[in-house]
Amino acid sequence: MAHYVKCLYCGEQFNRDTEPTKQVSARRYAHLKCWEEHLKNMSQEEKDIMAFYDYTKNLFGEDYNYLLTKKLAEKYVKENNYTYSGMLKTLKWYYEKEGHSLDKSNGSIGIMPYIYKQALNYYYTLYQAQLVNQEKDLSNFTLPKERIVNIESPRVFIRPPHMWFQEDDE
């Protein structure tokens, strides 16, 4: 059965089963070449927004609350001057690097104001380390030789039993 759809970008009708297509949203399709052309023409901010929403959708899975996520993201961008790329990196740091659970997330990004500065500090420290190590030549770097250190187990102090003497009642 042929599934004819209309390309989102050029407006041409085509069969999505026979031609190479890209599913843009739940019910929208585009030619693969039109999609690639659209990606070339997108600004960096639009790419960041798209990457942010794709990541949150994959991160939260079935519990994903798109409307709440969109509302909070727009609020954070407007009021707190966060960027979409910054929020994406913050989520990656918090859930992937730090290993926190998604149980209390409620399918959205409500934790963002509490962790954004910590993630910013983490990525800024990485950036500084890269700048410092950028000019260093690592070709002649060798690891120190392996040493074997014997650590004896600590001795356990055993208290001698306390002797209670009873005196005879006279």
Side-chain angles (χ1 to χ4, degrees):
M1 182 173 160
H3 293 101
Y4 286 98
V5 293
K6 190 175 188 181
C7 179
L8 179 63
Y9 303 111
C10 70
E12 182 181 319
Q13 194 172 20
F14 65 97
N15 185 356
R16 72 173 188 198
D17 297 330
T18 59
E19 294 186 38
T21 62
K22 168 69 178 163
Q23 186 172 359
V24 180
S25 64
R27 296 180 354 174
R28 305 293 301 263
Y29 294 87
H31 291 109
L32 195 57
K33 61 181 180 189
C34 294
W35 171 252
E36 291 170 356
E37 186 67 31
H38 175 71
L39 283 179
K40 289 179 188 174
N41 296 334
M42 286 176 72
S43 68
Q44 185 61 42
E45 184 179 359
E46 290 173 332
K47 290 179 184 177
D48 291 342
I49 292 170
M50 188 172 70
F52 172 75
Y53 286 117
D54 287 344
Y55 180 77
T56 53
K57 179 181 176 185
N58 292 333
L59 177 68
F60 297 117
E62 293 178 0
D63 297 334
Y64 182 51
N65 188 343
Y66 173 75
L67 294 176
L68 182 60
T69 302
K70 184 175 181 182
K71 180 181 176 184
L72 289 175
E74 289 173 354
K75 176 185 172 188
Y76 297 150
V77 167
K78 185 177 179 183
E79 294 178 5
N80 299 355
N81 295 325
Y82 293 172
T83 61
Y84 283 97
S85 64
M87 289 190 292
L88 173 63
K89 289 178 182 177
T90 300
L91 290 175
K92 285 184 178 182
W93 169 77
Y94 188 70
Y95 290 114
E96 292 177 12
K97 299 228 187 287
E98 293 292 309
H100 290 278
S101 173
L102 294 170
D103 294 339
K104 296 180 182 179
S105 66
N106 202 18
S108 188
I109 58 168
I111 189 77
M112 188 67 63
Y114 304 103
I115 61 172
Y116 192 84
K117 291 219 187 242
Q118 294 171 354
L120 182 70
N121 290 336
Y122 170 78
Y123 283 108
Y124 184 68
T125 305
L126 280 180
Y127 171 73
Q128 287 179 329
Q130 286 176 351
L131 286 180
V132 168
N133 294 326
Q134 185 175 13
E135 298 173 0
K136 294 190 178 181
D137 182 28
L138 298 177
S139 61
N140 59 2
F141 179 75
T142 58
L143 292 172
K145 292 184 179 179
E146 189 174 309
R147 290 188 332 194
I148 297 176
V149 178
N150 291 329
I151 300 174
E152 295 180 16
S153 63
R155 293 184 175 232
V156 178
F157 176 72
I158 300 174
R159 266 185 133 163
H162 190 68
M163 303 300 272
W164 294 95
F165 294 104
Q166 288 184 341
E167 293 184 15
D168 293 333
D169 289 336
E170 293 181 26

